[in-house]
Amino acid sequence: MFNPTRLAIARKRRRMTSTALAKAIGVAPLTISRIENGKNEPSPESVEAIVNVLQFPKNFFYGQNLDCPSQESASFRSLAAMTAKERDATLSAGSFAYLLSDWVSERFNLPAVNLLDLSHEKDFIKAADSIRQHWALGQQPINSMVKLLESKGVMVFSLSENTKNVDAFSCWRDDKPYIFLNTLKSTEHSRFDAAHELGHLVLHKHGGPHQKAAEYEANMFASCFLMPEADIRSYVSISYMTSVNHLIQEKKRWGVSLAALIYRLHKIGLLTDHKYRSLNIQISKLGYRTKEPNGLPREESVIWKKVFTELWSDGITKNSIAQELDLPIEELENLIFGLLWSTKPQSTTTEKKGFLRLVN
């Protein structure tokens, strides 16, 4: 049977209204509404037209219901600036991530979830310290946020959303945490987004991620988590703190943006209000708010590289996975960080792989 819920997901992924889709395939808008509501079965001609317009495999529309993140369960950054089309397209990508995650979990023993539930914690500094202590990180900088999160059981996916309004989002699906990062942003921006979403996962697991207070808490958690006060005080030279050029060098240690470092220095009292304003004026004049100076190389997923290296060795390619999941190949590629693919012959291997261990 044609699955109307999948039509709605595919349409939203393509950022099309039901009226726009109806016009594109030559039917009345009411027809699309009735199809998506399960009241009408589309004609064979309409199905072919839908496939051609939305560019999804025909079999996609005949699969089982997809689990899709809801707006209520997902914590979005910059939700106020996001259009409904951008939000729905991003959430639709999340449903494909769930599909891929389930497929991989059937074949691999992935790292177990190792997060704390800190929803009772009202102090974001203590929350950041608690996670660092729980993971035995000490006060040292974090080399790779993606690698760290994956090692703790967080499923990390990329979002190839060509818009500045979509930074990242996170959600819990049953007992599995997910983080989605916009890879068009700078590495420093994405690292902070990842830490921000980690804050939501541990602080707001039981609701409230869209409240202004929760966004502030997640931001402060990220700042404290990435830049522990003790490490900053022992490392940053006070004599250099009024020089943008010196701070550009200092920020590399924590892998954060120049603006984020200046904010943190001010927050812990190492910059006066006057110096803080002066430095912000300087970085704005230099254009460092839109283009990060001395940007870091892109962080890559370790889990996905290991998974697909194993699959590649069995002759299972990205194309064969996309066909099995009935997804457009580009949707699969958009979800995964920096992978190198092969086109070796397909294998029917389905046995479980060994446990994927990551080294911090």
Side-chain angles (χ1 to χ4, degrees):
M1 295 289 292
F2 186 90
N3 190 329
T5 64
R6 287 194 170 217
L7 171 59
I9 288 174
R11 174 180 60 76
K12 290 175 182 178
R13 182 61 188 147
R14 297 298 184 236
R15 301 189 184 187
M16 295 185 74
T17 64
S18 56
T19 300
L21 178 58
K23 182 178 180 180
I25 69 173
V27 300
L30 180 60
T31 301
I32 297 298
S33 295
R34 290 185 65 82
I35 291 173
E36 290 191 0
N37 290 328
K39 295 179 179 178
N40 280 13
E41 182 79 10
S43 67
E45 294 77 17
S46 292
V47 171
E48 292 300 330
I50 288 170
V51 168
N52 290 332
V53 170
L54 297 182
Q55 293 295 293
F56 272 74
K58 184 176 181 178
N59 285 343
F60 172 84
F61 299 100
Y62 292 87
Q64 296 179 345
N65 288 347
L66 290 176
D67 194 4
C68 188
S70 66
Q71 182 181 346
E72 293 72 28
S73 66
S75 66
F76 277 103
R77 297 201 69 187
S78 304
L79 184 62
M82 193 183 309
T83 66
K85 285 184 179 180
E86 289 170 337
R87 180 200 64 216
D88 291 343
T90 303
L91 290 174
S92 295
S95 69
F96 306 151
Y98 288 169
L99 192 63
L100 177 59
S101 175
D102 291 344
W103 188 90
V104 170
S105 296
E106 290 176 358
R107 293 159 176 80
F108 292 85
N109 294 313
L110 300 174
V113 176
N114 184 17
L115 299 187
L116 295 176
D117 183 352
L118 299 174
S119 54
H120 63 282
E121 183 59 75
K122 303 303 179 184
D123 187 328
F124 45 77
I125 298 176
K126 289 182 179 179
D129 286 343
S130 295
I131 289 293
R132 277 185 163 270
Q133 291 174 14
H134 183 63
W135 290 345
L137 297 176
Q139 298 294 304
Q140 294 303 303
I142 297 166
N143 291 329
S144 171
M145 276 300 300
V146 171
K147 181 178 178 181
L148 175 65
L149 291 170
E150 289 182 328
S151 72
K152 306 308 177 185
V154 180
M155 298 297 294
V156 182
F157 289 92
S158 60
L159 289 171
S160 296
E161 306 303 301
N162 190 20
T163 171
K164 64 181 180 180
N165 295 331
V166 181
D167 284 325
F169 80 93
S170 60
C171 56
W172 284 89
R173 181 192 181 209
D174 299 325
D175 294 323
K176 191 72 174 176
Y178 289 77
I179 288 179
F180 299 81
L181 302 173
N182 189 334
T183 55
L184 295 179
K185 305 291 184 178
S186 70
T187 299
E188 290 86 351
H189 193 132
S190 288
R191 281 172 55 85
F192 197 90
D193 284 347
H196 176 101
E197 297 307 329
L198 172 63
H200 276 310
L201 290 174
V202 299
L203 291 171
H204 310 129
K205 182 176 181 179
H206 303 297
H210 305 309
Q211 298 172 3
K212 278 189 176 181
E215 283 302 300
Y216 175 77
E217 290 168 5
N219 265 338
M220 295 308 300
F221 172 93
S223 185
C224 296
F225 184 75
L226 289 172
M227 297 171 280
E229 181 175 347
D231 190 48
I232 287 183
R233 290 185 178 277
S234 66
Y235 188 80
V236 175
S237 172
I238 296 178
S239 61
Y240 288 167
M241 285 193 298
T242 56
S243 167
V244 170
N245 289 332
H246 280 113
L247 289 175
I248 288 174
Q249 298 303 314
E250 301 279 15
K251 77 184 183 70
K252 290 181 179 180
R253 176 173 176 81
W254 299 282
V256 296
S257 69
L258 183 59
L261 176 58
I262 291 172
Y263 181 87
R264 183 71 171 132
L265 291 172
H266 177 246
K267 203 69 179 177
I268 63 177
L270 291 180
L271 286 178
T272 64
D273 292 346
H274 174 72
K275 287 181 179 179
Y276 177 63
R277 286 193 297 270
S278 175
L279 286 170
N280 274 298
I281 291 171
Q282 288 183 58
I283 65 175
S284 293
K285 287 182 176 179
L286 292 168
Y288 291 159
R289 292 197 181 278
T290 55
K291 184 174 177 57
E292 189 63 35
N294 290 1
L296 296 172
R298 176 69 55 194
E299 290 189 357
E300 294 183 348
S301 165
V302 175
I303 281 288
W304 291 117
K305 281 196 170 183
K306 288 184 179 237
V307 163
F308 283 98
T309 296
E310 288 286 340
L311 294 172
W312 177 84
S313 68
D314 285 334
I316 301 177
T317 69
K318 64 172 183 178
N319 290 290
S320 61
I321 297 170
Q323 289 174 7
E324 186 170 345
L325 298 179
D326 295 321
L327 288 177
I329 186 63
E330 65 270 16
E331 293 294 343
L332 184 64
E333 291 175 332
N334 288 344
L335 291 170
I336 301 162
F337 291 87
L339 291 173
L340 299 176
W341 301 91
S342 171
T343 55
K344 286 193 173 184
Q346 181 175 335
S347 167
T348 56
T349 302
T350 58
E351 62 181 325
K352 283 258 187 177
K353 303 297 180 183
F355 184 83
L356 294 173
R357 292 182 175 86
L358 298 177
V359 180
N360 290 339

